[in-house]
Amino acid sequence: DTAVSQTPKYLVTQMGNDKSIKCEQNLGHDTMYWYKQDSKKFLKIMFSYNNKELIINETVPNRFSPKSPDKAHLNLHINSLELGDSAVYFCASSQVAGLGDTQYFGPGTRLTVL
Amino acid sequence: GENVEQHPSTLSVQEGDSAVIKCTYSDSASNYFPWYKQELGKGPQLIIDIRSNVGEKKDQRIAVTLNKTAKHFSLHITETQPEDSAVYFCAASKGFNKFYFGSGTKLNVKP
């Protein structure tokens, strides 16, 4: 069984379109995250939710809107896609929003904006 | 905010040799330091971590050392094997699971 799953794995789209990436975890964790990994492999946190509540919101354009319908799901919706949004997006989860709890990452969604 | 620097960006070693990857951090309040391994096409996976009240931790062929005074920590892999080839990330955190990642080290173990 996959602990943290993301769909789709690949997403190719045109500039200006709106797209969503879905994430689900079956670990019973309370906290979920979205990370962006750019072409140089640099990983940066975008958002974090704890029990459906937003707890971390880094400097991310408001074209990006996370939504957590329940604590097992955290989706990422992106409006008006731009070339610079091309990256691999990783979802992750951890047990609690405390110090030093292991984060489990999904397999990633490679977004390509043409 | 925290700034984590990681070196080297690429590292090639012969199978059986040791590999060392180093990270420095800027925020003295950071107190948790995990290391992740990312294989091609996969998400990062935690391989070892260390907290600020410990100077060294080992897990079989992998060890991590932490120097709080100098604000640096290192990953040591002994007896490297081809399956150790991957990108390795260090990270630092001071709470609320907000992690700052290093830029990654691509390790190539030549058979």
Side-chain angles (χ1 to χ4, degrees):
Chain A
D1 286 345
T2 305
V4 182
S5 59
Q6 294 177 229
T7 54
K9 188 165 176 62
Y10 300 97
L11 185 53
V12 181
T13 189
Q14 299 287 331
M15 263 196 316
N17 284 350
D18 303 338
K19 290 293 178 186
S20 291
I21 307 171
K22 295 186 176 182
C23 178
E24 177 181 2
Q25 54 95 4
N26 62 7
L27 298 167
H29 288 166
D30 289 337
T31 309
M32 296 184 72
Y33 314 79
W34 277 110
Y35 284 86
K36 179 180 180 181
Q37 186 173 49
D38 62 24
S39 58
K40 295 183 179 179
K41 296 288 187 183
F42 188 65
L43 261 173
K44 187 170 181 183
I45 192 165
M46 300 172 69
F47 301 103
S48 174
Y49 271 72
N50 183 55
N51 263 325
K52 302 191 295 176
E53 283 191 33
L54 181 66
I55 56 171
I56 294 174
N57 183 354
E58 289 296 279
T59 309
V60 178
N62 57 15
R63 298 182 294 104
F64 291 77
S65 52
K67 284 187 171 52
S68 182
D70 55 62
K71 73 174 192 177
H73 296 84
L74 180 63
N75 303 323
L76 184 64
H77 188 75
I78 316 170
N79 289 328
S80 304
L81 278 155
E82 300 177 358
L83 292 177
D85 298 332
S86 296
V88 181
Y89 292 84
F90 287 100
C91 177
S93 73
S94 65
Q95 180 62 43
V96 293
L99 172 65
D101 204 51
T102 302
Q103 295 192 355
Y104 294 84
F105 283 80
T109 295
R110 181 174 292 277
L111 171 64
T112 303
V113 182
L114 303 174
Chain B
E2 175 66 278
N3 181 41
V4 178
E5 294 192 358
Q6 183 172 344
H7 300 281
S9 56
T10 59
L11 179 58
S12 278
V13 299
Q14 207 65 39
E15 182 177 359
D17 288 349
S18 295
V20 180
I21 302 170
K22 298 182 179 182
C23 287
T24 60
Y25 61 99
S26 60
D27 191 340
S28 56
S30 290
N31 51 15
Y32 175 64
F33 308 92
W35 284 89
Y36 287 84
K37 176 183 181 183
Q38 185 177 18
E39 296 176 334
L40 197 61
K42 296 184 179 180
Q45 184 176 15
L46 180 75
I47 55 171
I48 195 166
D49 56 12
I50 192 166
R51 298 180 192 274
S52 59
N53 59 347
V54 175
E56 184 177 0
K57 184 175 178 180
K58 283 184 180 179
D59 183 3
Q60 299 183 342
R61 297 185 297 109
I62 294 173
V64 58
T65 59
L66 170 65
N67 183 327
K68 282 173 55 182
T69 305
K71 294 202 284 255
H72 67 68
F73 56 113
S74 301
L75 177 71
H76 304 253
I77 307 174
T78 58
E79 299 172 28
T80 53
Q81 300 166 5
E83 50 266 37
D84 294 329
S85 295
V87 178
Y88 290 81
F89 292 95
C90 63
S93 173
K94 60 181 179 183
F96 300 102
N97 276 359
K98 189 169 180 179
F99 292 85
Y100 295 88
F101 282 81
S103 51
T105 296
K106 185 173 182 180
L107 174 64
N108 180 34
V109 180
K110 294 175 283 188

